[in-house]
């Protein structure tokens, strides 16, 4: 892990990290994640070749109020239940992109 990334992770508490990650994954800035934004999150977390059915299943798990979108609280609850390796994958991509070290791997550029 790159030193700047390691120090960034160590210097941020979970709440701060979640807020930073949220701002990044909410690509349209509307305060919720739609199905496509959730799919992109899953890809960033290492779910390769995820099917539409798998995305739908994850959406059903995350969207506990059945609004059709995922709000910050729903995302946070789900994210914290994921394997540490999956959490770190998303945070790592965020920090690398924020540092300009991997700008070509943005959420919009994954597909």
């Amino acid at each position: 892990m790159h030193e700047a990334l390691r120090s960034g992770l160590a210097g941020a508490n979970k709440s701060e990290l979640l807020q930073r990650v949220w701002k990044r994954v909410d690509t349209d800035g509307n305060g919720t994640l739609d199905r496509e934004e959730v799919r992109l999150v899953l890809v960033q977390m290492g779910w390769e070749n995820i099917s539409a059915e798998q995305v739908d299943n994850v959406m059903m798990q995350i969207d506990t109020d059945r609004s059709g979108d995922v709000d910050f609280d729903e995302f946070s609850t789900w994210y914290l239940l994921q394997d540490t390796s999956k959490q770190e994958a998303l945070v790592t991509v965020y920090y690398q992109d924020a540092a300009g070290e991997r700008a070509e791997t943005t959420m919009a550029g994954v597909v």
Side-chain angles (χ1 to χ4, degrees), residues 18-19 22 70-81:
L18 281 168
Q19 286 292 335
W22 176 257
V70 175
D71 63 30
F72 176 75
D73 291 335
E74 291 169 324
F75 172 78
S76 298
T77 299
W78 173 82
Y79 176 81
L80 292 172
L81 293 173

Side-chain angles (χ1 to χ4, degrees), residues 48-83:
E48 296 180 23
N49 302 317
I50 189 164
S51 71
E53 183 179 348
Q54 289 171 310
V55 174
D56 290 341
N57 288 337
V58 172
M59 278 294 291
M60 286 179 18
Q61 292 172 7
I62 303 173
D63 183 20
T64 57
D65 68 3
R66 301 298 181 244
S67 65
D69 292 309
V70 175
D71 63 30
F72 176 75
D73 291 335
E74 291 169 324
F75 172 78
S76 298
T77 299
W78 173 82
Y79 176 81
L80 292 172
L81 293 173
Q82 302 309 298
D83 292 340

Side-chain angles (χ1 to χ4, degrees), residues 3 14 16-17 23 29 31 34 47 51 71 74 80 84 93:
E3 188 59 38
K14 279 208 187 254
E16 182 182 330
L17 276 176
K23 286 179 183 176
D34 61 23
W47 295 42
S51 71
D71 63 30
E74 291 169 324
L80 292 172
T84 303
V93 169

Side-chain angles (χ1 to χ4, degrees), residues 24 93-102:
R24 178 163 160 44
V93 169
Y94 164 76
Y95 271 98
Q96 288 175 335
D97 287 349
E101 297 169 2
R102 237 175 92 187

Side-chain angles (χ1 to χ4, degrees), residues 28-39:
D28 61 11
N30 71 351
T32 61
L33 302 182
D34 61 23
R35 186 181 180 286
E36 179 60 14
E37 288 167 317
V38 168
R39 188 187 72 75

